[in-house]
Amino acid sequence: SITFRTRCQINYKTKCPGFYPLLGIGTTSSFVAMGATYPFRLITCQMQAYTGPEKERLGPRCHALRIFQTEGLRGFYRGFLANSSKAVPSSGIAWATFNMTQSYWDQKWGTKKYS
């Protein structure tokens, strides 16, 4: 598969960015992805933590409506900064480390020809 690094070299005929730009790219993409999916994760956690009677078990729509009615739109992002402060940096570091390791591997043992 073609990675960001090889795409950068093929399309733009430039060197791959260093560790810190890759860290920024990985961190930003992780933060955006977390922001887009966090409300669904929150509803899933609410459903798993529900302790009411079994016959009154609520579906995802009921949980979402209850959150919106009691807390508004901000309720869907309750705890977002706490969760993103631990997950986002680790994703950025993992992404940058993977790309730098792949670059080292290609320099040491040769680059595959990509189509």
Side-chain angles (χ1 to χ4, degrees), residues 28-115:
T28 303
S29 65
S30 178
F31 189 76
V32 169
M34 238 184 126
T37 59
Y38 192 77
F40 300 109
R41 185 170 178 260
L42 182 74
I43 292 170
T44 302
C45 288
Q46 292 268 329
M47 290 176 63
Q48 291 172 345
Y50 179 73
T51 58
E54 193 65 35
K55 64 181 178 184
E56 294 178 10
R57 182 148 313 263
L58 304 173
R61 194 176 310 173
C62 293
H63 279 284
L65 188 59
R66 186 177 52 80
I67 291 170
F68 185 72
Q69 287 175 344
T70 57
E71 302 175 48
L73 200 55
R74 290 182 83 189
F76 289 108
Y77 289 93
R78 180 184 46 207
F80 175 72
L81 288 178
N83 280 312
S84 64
S85 68
K86 64 180 180 175
V88 169
S90 66
S91 296
I93 291 169
W95 203 72
T97 303
F98 171 78
N99 277 294
M100 294 303 289
T101 304
Q102 185 181 27
S103 176
Y104 172 76
W105 181 275
D106 286 346
Q107 288 174 1
K108 183 100 172 141
W109 288 285
T111 307
K112 287 173 57 177
K113 299 289 183 197
Y114 298 103
S115 56

